[in-house]
Amino acid sequence: MGPAKYIQRRFYTPYEVAQHNSPDDCWVSFLGSVYNLTSLIKNNPGILSAPLIKVAGQDISNWFDERTRDVKVHICPVTHLSRYYIPMGQFPHIPPVEPVGDWDTSYGIPWWKDKQYQVGNLSQRIRLVRIKNVLTGQEDTIEVPSEETIAEIRERYLELNWHAKSYTWKALVRSEASYLFVELDMNKTLAENEVQDEATEFEDHHISTDFYIPILHVYWNDDLTVA
């Protein structure tokens, strides 16, 4: 099986990161960032990349110090010196514990600080939305990062409807004591468009978050857009 489909986005869901879980397609997330380590593994074959391959598709924030954004350190009980804390095993750009003469330091910036490997950010909160095509009656539920704009959500919806850009997007939002269908601002997030996330309130009351999923209505503009 080849690499998972990769579409460049600002934010990714944990599920999307989890799809890249092999040596030939290795993503990890940590401290809110998503990194593609496929080329790093290719350039460091063998046992050195084993710890990274083992956690492919996972979040490895526990490897790092949130304050320094560096790999955690500890005092070595043998040398009494500060060393990287790597119970998972040595991985690329971590120096060996003992002095050696063949350690290559030409990599420059360690990969966890090198932005060339970063492909985006990990969403801090995921939302479910239902998108109802008013023209056809088709309804799809998709998982989206809360940080994404409606335009970015539309890019996800393109995988289900190639002509999504030919629709006007609306939602039922609260207006004083009533609700109104309003056209959504494509450059704003769901929350900024007053499509509130009530999942936390449901969780507090021990109600399934699937009990109510906001609906976005898409209306055909009759101006066919080539996908």
Side-chain angles (χ1 to χ4, degrees):
M1 184 173 65
K5 185 178 180 181
Y6 169 39
I7 298 175
Q8 181 71 50
R9 304 190 191 280
R10 284 194 309 135
F11 291 92
Y12 297 93
T13 68
Y15 175 79
E16 289 173 316
V17 176
Q19 302 310 296
H20 302 270
N21 55 12
S22 71
D24 298 322
D25 182 25
C26 176
W27 287 21
V28 296
S29 61
F30 62 92
L31 303 181
S33 299
V34 177
Y35 275 50
N36 181 350
L37 303 182
T38 307
S39 62
L40 179 72
I41 290 172
K42 183 178 180 180
N43 293 330
N44 293 271
I47 194 171
L48 198 60
S49 287
L52 298 179
I53 295 171
K54 186 176 181 179
V55 296
Q58 301 178 35
D59 187 86
I60 56 172
S61 295
N62 62 307
W63 290 15
F64 300 91
D65 184 313
E66 291 186 20
R67 182 179 58 83
T68 64
R69 299 188 70 85
D70 201 355
V71 177
K72 290 179 178 178
V73 298
H74 74 137
I75 301 300
C76 175
V78 177
T79 65
H80 301 292
L81 298 175
S82 178
R83 301 287 190 188
Y84 282 124
Y85 181 63
I86 50 171
M88 70 294 292
Q90 186 183 2
F91 52 83
H93 303 171
I94 291 289
V97 175
E98 301 297 332
V100 295
D102 59 351
W103 174 245
D104 183 9
T105 59
S106 63
Y107 57 82
I109 304 173
W111 63 261
W112 56 91
K113 292 185 177 182
D114 193 338
K115 295 300 182 181
Q116 71 166 309
Y117 296 106
Q118 186 175 0
V119 293
N121 301 292
L122 185 69
S123 175
Q124 296 304 298
R125 186 164 183 85
I126 304 301
R127 295 189 62 174
L128 287 176
V129 293
R130 288 185 289 171
I131 302 177
K132 184 175 181 62
N133 187 327
V134 178
L135 177 66
T136 65
Q138 179 179 342
E139 187 174 303
D140 298 285
T141 299
I142 63 174
E143 187 179 58
V144 301
S146 60
E147 302 90 347
E148 286 191 336
T149 64
I150 304 300
E152 290 172 311
I153 293 174
R154 182 178 62 187
E155 291 299 311
R156 293 177 179 272
Y157 183 58
L158 278 169
E159 298 180 24
L160 300 170
N161 184 339
W162 290 358
H163 304 296
K165 292 184 178 180
S166 288
Y167 289 78
T168 294
W169 290 57
K170 296 183 179 182
L172 188 65
V173 301
R174 181 176 296 175
S175 177
E176 297 180 351
S178 62
Y179 286 85
L180 296 173
F181 268 112
V182 298
E183 183 174 343
L184 300 175
D185 186 329
M186 304 302 287
N187 295 314
K188 292 183 178 180
T189 65
L190 289 165
E192 291 169 342
N193 273 289
E194 303 300 329
V195 181
Q196 299 302 326
D197 183 2
E198 299 178 347
T200 301
E201 185 175 346
F202 290 157
E203 291 170 353
D204 291 342
H205 289 83
H206 306 289
I207 301 173
S208 171
T209 54
D210 293 339
F211 182 77
Y212 171 71
I213 301 174
I215 303 178
L216 307 183
H217 293 77
V218 292
Y219 291 80
W220 176 246
N221 291 333
D222 198 23
D223 62 344
L224 187 62
T225 300
V226 178

